[in-house]
Structures are given as C-alpha cells and as structure tokens.
Amino acid sequence: MSAKTLSELRDQVRGEVVAPDDADYEDARRVHNGMIDRRPAVVVRVMNAGDAMAVVRYAREGGLEVAIRGGGHSGPGFGTCDGGVVVDFSRMRSVRVDPTAKTARADGGVTWGDFNAATHAFGLATTGGVISTTGIAGLTLGGGIGYLTRGYGLSLDNLVSADVVTAEGQMLVASEDENADLFWAIRGGGGNFGVCTSFEYRLHPVEDVYWGPMFYEIKETENVLRFYRDFIRNAPEEMGAFPAFQIAPPLPFIPEDRHGDMFAAIVACWSGSPDEGEERFRPFHEVAEVKAEFVGRVPYPAINAAFDGLFPKGIRQYWKGNFVKELSDDAIAAHIEHGPKAPTVSSTMHLYPINGACHRVAPDATAFGHRDANFAMVVVSAWDNPADDSANMQWVRDYSAAMAPYSEAGGYINFMDSDDTNRVQENYGNNYARLVEVKRKYDPGNLFTVNQNIVP
Ligand SMILES: Cc1cc2nc3c(=O)[nH]c(=O)nc-3n(C[C@H](O)[C@H](O)[C@H](O)COP(=O)(O)OP(=O)(O)OC[C@H]3O[C@@H](n4cnc5c(N)ncnc54)[C@H](O)[C@@H]3O)c2cc1C
C-alpha cells in the first residue's frame, strides 16, 4: 500500500487510521484471544457508516483482505488479519432504546455489557451472551446463545433489521421487507455478506432475575447430568440453565479449603418473577448436595458480567463446539471422562439448552442450521502461558472428539476455531446451498473472507 493511498484514506474517514508505524498499532492489531498475533496493513476505527463504506471501497480497490471487528471475541481471531484492512467498530458503541416499540438500535461495536446496561434502564432485554465484553455483532450474526434463549430464541431471532455495507461499498438495509435474502443470510451466516454498521433488536420485559452457579462434588456428575437432561426438556421457558465443569475460583462463597478443586456445576437463570426463584431452584438442590452456591435476585446485566474475570483480554484460548440432540447415557459417560480434566480455572464445558423458542422458528427461516438440536455444547480452554498451549488445546480436542459420536455433524460457527473451517458446510446443513447463492449475489469476489467462510 502506498503512503499516498493511506493518506487519502485518512482524508476520507472521520475515525482513526492506525498503520504499523503508529504508536497505537500494537494495541490496534490485537484481539481478545492472546494466541492471535497478526499484523494488518491498517486498522480503521470507524466512527460512522460512511467510514465503513470508505474502508470497504479502499480495501476492494487495493485488493486487500477485510477483517471486521465487532467485539473482537472470535476464537480464531477473525477480527484481525495479516496484511489486510481491519474495520474496527470499537469506537461505535451507542444504543438507542425505543421503550414503546420495545426495540433497540445498536452500533456495530456495541458489547453485550453496553447493550444490557442501555436496555435494562427500561426494564427490557434480549437474548445475548454470558460474558459482557463479547460483541453483539459477531455473536448475533452467528446465532446468539445465552440465558434467555429458551424463552426468546437466539439473538438472531430477535434481529429486526441491520444496516449492511456490501462488498461494493453500498449501504443496504436488511430486514423482512428490504433485501430479504440478505436478511436471511446474515442471520447465521456471520460476517460473510457485508459490514453491519448497526443492528435493530426486539426487546422483552426482563429486569431482575434469579440467578446463580451451584457447585456439586464431581462424583455427582452422572446424577446431575441425568437430572438436567430430563429437567430442562419440560422446564418453563423462563428457565435458562446449563451444566458445566468448573475449578473453584478463590471466591468468598466457596470454602477456602476447596479453592482449586474441580466441581460439577449448574448455572441457572430464572427470568420469570424473581420471587419464585427460590422455589424454581429447589430441584437443583434436591438432585445432590450443593457444596457452594452464589444464588439470588440480581439485575439482568449483572449476570452477564459475572464470569468476565475468567476471560480477560489477552488470555490464550482454544474453542470447539457441537450441537447435541439427546444427552444419552453414553454421552454422559464421555463428559464424566473428559470434563473433570479441564486444565485451568478458565477452561470449561458448557452445555447450553436451545430447546423452546429456538425450535419454533422453521429450519429454513434463517441461515442458522440447527433448529432441531436441544443443546449447544462448547468446550473452551483459556490459559496464560504459551508453554501450556499444546496441553490446553489437546484437552479441548480430546473432549470434542469424544463427544463427536453423540453430536450432529455440524457445529456452531461462533464456537469453531481456525482448524474447523472444513466444517462450514456441515454447520449450515440444508441451508448451505442458499447461503452460497446469496454470497454470489452480494460478495462474488469473496472480499469478506476472514470468517468461517462461505465460498461463492
Ligand atoms: C469470552 C467469550 C464468551 C462467549 N460467550 C458466548 C455466549 O454466551 N454465547 C454465544 O452465542 N457465543 C459466545 N461466544 C462466542 C461469540 O459468539 C463469538 O466469538 C463471536 O464471533 C464474537 O463476536 P464479536 O463481535 O465479539 O467478535 P469479532 O471477533 O469482532 O467478530 C467475529 C466474527 O463476526 C464478524 N463481525 C464482527 N463484527 C461485524 C460487523 N459489524 N459486521 C459484520 N460482521 C461482523 C467478523 O467478520 C468475524 O468473522 C463467546 C466468546 C468469548 C470469547
């Protein structure tokens, strides 16, 4: 890239243009996963849709790859690239709530922490992720699984419209009424179709919830998982609860002599009346003795920040995800073998329930390919020391491979790592052919290639 071109870009955009010789470059090139060490030619911290349009045109004309960064949480580091252009939304974090229409319009760089804080002021929320620093953009475009999924569907089921800058550098509105094919594709197809500068969501009345993690002795894992699979099948949809493996962090609610021990856990969220919460949580106390817990009534935004400390920016990470129809006894046996070997306090398996509202959306109504699965399983390892890379990655690989016989062929694009690109077609199942068609229409040259790529 010539200096002249870069200076032209600087003239065209309102946001900061950060190049390798700028002081801020080191920070600008980094994403959440500390394993990712890429060096883009330029990072543009866009300030408005016009900036995004200019950056896309600049990349296309220069033959440069485009990476789009919302919250920067992609496991494989799709929010940065080597030698290309990063459209970085970290300066666009505004949310406007319409309490009458029960909708919110949010910029492309909004995190779930930003979003939940803004909507909570009106007693409203929508399905988002379980960590507050994750971006709404990537999470929604790939699916969006969290505490409210059983009641209100995936995040993408709550998307009303999005503003999308196409590979041509044109702004389009994508909704049921405008560019409906594009709207279909972005609801599951990730960042393949364009740069989304803003998102409009449907909101629901959610204020305080009854929430918390409950820890069981690891020998109770079989009991807990068998109980859970039956319980969650018919539980009211206000109940979002997932089982996990968790090394006890040094927190006051856990007896000091148990810090560092491995536990089976259930993390539950009752989003109906908080007054009913204690009663709704009774079955979790009946299945086995709860050795430590931190449960009670809390404002909804607080629960999405509760585990943030386990995933600070820069921690090294490796991810795998599968969809599961039935949690069979054999699958439970595989969990019992692999889950307790989680190598660090930030490494875990979560089994998120996605029955309920998610199943009421037709399999071909959005690009998301797994409306018949009951669970989305994630195995993630996170650690600090590069010397521990291979041990941590191996745990994830072994666990995921052991679960493969009990899982669907495709997984969740948001829990896939860079060595999962061969699974893209399976991830979309019967929706894949249509995704290719829409990709050919909106991005025939595959400008947006830094993602779980749909090849036009
Ligand atoms: C700590 C942690 C917790 C998580 N918890 C959950 C969870 O509870 N539920 C869940 O479903 N997932 C969860 N995830 C996975 C998460 O959904 C994905 O990592 C998601 O891609 C993150 O989105 P982002 O915007 O932060 O990431 P980014 O790295 O910025 O982007 C991810 C992908 O989305 C695309 N993209 C980003 N912004 C835009 C945009 N404005 N326009 C078009 N494309 C864009 C990019 O091209 C990229 O391919 C979690 C991830 C982490 C690291």
Side-chain angles (χ1 to χ4, degrees), residues 48-62:
N48 54 47
D51 280 4
M53 291 159 76
V55 178
V56 167
R57 285 196 204 112
Y58 172 84
R60 189 165 47 84
E61 284 158 18

Side-chain angles (χ1 to χ4, degrees), residues 32 68-75 78-79 89 108 129-131 134-135 137-139 141 144-145 191 194-196 199 311 317 319 352 412 414-415 450-451:
H32 190 261
I68 315 167
R69 188 185 307 164
H73 267 213
S74 149
F78 291 142
F89 277 93
V130 303
I131 299 282
T134 308
L139 186 136
L141 296 170
I145 296 168
V195 179
C196 298
F199 299 85
F311 295 99
Q317 297 160 49
W319 295 72
Y352 298 114
Y412 177 32
N414 280 351
F415 292 156
V450 189
N451 44 46

Side-chain angles (χ1 to χ4, degrees), residues 173-218:
V173 172
S175 70
E176 291 289 2
D177 303 322
E178 287 181 78
N179 304 299
D181 54 352
L182 183 60
F183 188 52
W184 176 86
I186 63 169
R187 286 176 295 163
N192 268 283
F193 300 93
V195 179
C196 298
T197 58
S198 93
F199 299 85
E200 185 188 1
Y201 293 88
R202 237 182 314 278
L203 303 175
H204 311 276
V206 178
E207 274 193 273
D208 287 0
V209 294
Y210 197 88
W211 170 89
M214 289 155 279
F215 285 46
Y216 306 91
E217 295 292 4
I218 204 72

Side-chain angles (χ1 to χ4, degrees), residues 15-84:
E16 293 157 76
V17 175
V18 186
D21 47 0
D22 290 320
D24 217 9
Y25 179 74
E26 199 47 35
D27 181 50
R29 75 185 182 90
R30 293 281 177 188
V31 287
H32 190 261
N33 186 350
M35 298 261 279
I36 309 297
D37 184 20
R38 299 192 190 123
R39 306 188 72 83
V42 60
V43 178
V44 185
R45 292 175 173 143
V46 293
M47 295 292 287
N48 54 47
D51 280 4
M53 291 159 76
V55 178
V56 167
R57 285 196 204 112
Y58 172 84
R60 189 165 47 84
E61 284 158 18
L64 296 169
E65 215 170 45
V66 178
I68 315 167
R69 188 185 307 164
H73 267 213
S74 149
F78 291 142
T80 190
C81 59
D82 272 323

